[in-house]
Amino acid sequence: DFVVTQSPDSLAVSLGERATINCKSSQSVLYSSNNKNYLAWYQQKPGQPPKLLISWASTRESGVPDRFSGSGSGTDFTLTINSLQAEDVAVYYCQQYYDTLPAFGQGTKLEI
Amino acid sequence: QVQLVESGGGVVQPGGSLTLSCAASGFTFRSYGMHWVRQAPGKGLEWVAFIRFDTSNAYYIDSVKGRFTVSKDNSRNTVSLQMNGLRGEDTAVYYCAKDRGYRSPDGLLENWGQGTLVTVSS
């Protein structure tokens, strides 16, 4: 079974600074036939459903500000938020979709 | 635009049953698979189930296998989650979500509903 683990569980960053969230999968999510990493990032603001931010480990969804970026390959991934804004306060989840049964990390709560 | 509206949540006793529904609009429903994801109060996201666009197959997390059944009515643009043998640990907000893949599951949950709360308690 795939296990996805995020670190840290919570993070406090000052406005304008950089936030870094890590995600580790128990197995590689890199599909060799297409060289794609089946790893996504979601943002969930209080009282709202999650929102897809990044797919394929590093592809921003339409409308997502370019201060959000994803990186990594295989089993280790990072979500970086540059120039943190007040509206970025949320819980961030990574998700592997390599396996038939998708799995989320436990979430990282980002605070100012 | 894509709209997903869940309904059917409520309070149910342990061992009871409940059926959740999700009404979809704004896309060609018959061409996309649908997921259910839950979130216990104050906790993280847990993927629960997926049904393929053509209902040919369904997948479940181990903890609900044999108790939950996902179904999809492509004529009514609805996906449902029949939940039997409910336990306290099933208490959560249940979200339906549209898979991004056109006629082929991709595992990306592109659009989400607002969720419906299920509380299992005596």
Side-chain angles (χ1 to χ4, degrees):
Chain A
D1 287 1
F2 273 86
V3 177
V4 181
T5 306
Q6 293 179 229
S7 62
D9 289 336
S10 63
L11 182 62
V13 175
S14 301
L15 289 173
E17 297 299 305
R18 175 184 298 167
T20 301
I21 298 170
N22 300 302
C23 176
K24 188 174 184 68
S25 176
S26 59
Q27 301 176 50
S28 176
V29 298
L30 175 63
Y31 194 39
S32 56
S33 67
N34 61 10
N35 203 37
K36 285 189 168 186
N37 286 285
Y38 285 59
L39 191 285
W41 290 95
Y42 296 80
Q43 175 193 63
Q44 187 178 30
K45 295 184 178 181
Q48 295 184 20
K51 172 188 172 184
L52 178 61
L53 283 182
I54 288 173
S55 58
W56 309 113
S58 60
T59 302
R60 267 190 310 275
E61 294 298 298
S62 174
V64 174
D66 61 6
R67 64 179 181 273
F68 290 88
S69 63
S71 62
S73 184
T75 60
D76 294 279
F77 300 89
T78 300
L79 173 68
T80 302
I81 310 170
N82 289 310
S83 301
L84 194 73
Q85 306 295 302
E87 62 263 30
D88 300 334
V89 167
V91 180
Y92 292 85
Y93 296 91
C94 59
Q95 176 226 341
Q96 67 80 13
Y97 50 104
Y98 182 98
D99 189 57
T100 304
L101 308 186
F104 292 93
Q106 80 275 18
T108 295
K109 185 174 184 179
L110 177 59
E111 299 171 308
I112 304 292
Chain B
Q1 72 280 20
V2 173
Q3 274 206 307
L4 300 169
V5 180
E6 301 95 338
S7 61
V11 180
V12 60
Q13 292 190 337
S17 299
L18 206 58
T19 299
L20 307 182
S21 293
C22 172
S25 61
F27 64 102
T28 308
F29 183 74
R30 64 180 179 274
S31 297
Y32 292 89
M34 297 294 294
H35 300 264
W36 285 96
V37 175
R38 67 185 178 185
Q39 187 169 35
K43 301 296 185 184
L45 303 172
E46 182 178 47
W47 177 87
V48 174
F50 172 75
I51 187 164
R52 291 180 63 95
F53 72 100
D54 58 359
T55 74
S56 59
N57 219 334
Y59 307 87
Y60 303 89
I61 194 172
D62 282 351
S63 59
V64 309
K65 216 174 283 186
R67 298 189 300 126
F68 289 13
T69 303
V70 59
S71 59
K72 189 174 187 277
D73 187 338
N74 286 333
S75 65
R76 295 175 184 265
N77 285 10
T78 60
V79 59
S80 299
L81 186 67
Q82 168 74 40
M83 304 184 294
N84 299 324
L86 283 162
R87 307 166 181 167
E89 56 264 35
D90 297 318
T91 294
V93 172
Y94 284 73
Y95 296 100
C96 68
K98 171 186 167 290
D99 190 271
R100 166 172 290 178
Y102 176 76
R103 295 193 174 185
S104 177
D106 134 326
L108 281 169
L109 287 70
E110 183 174 48
N111 304 92
W112 298 63
Q114 290 295 314
T116 187
L117 176 62
V118 173
T119 303
V120 183
S121 174
S122 53

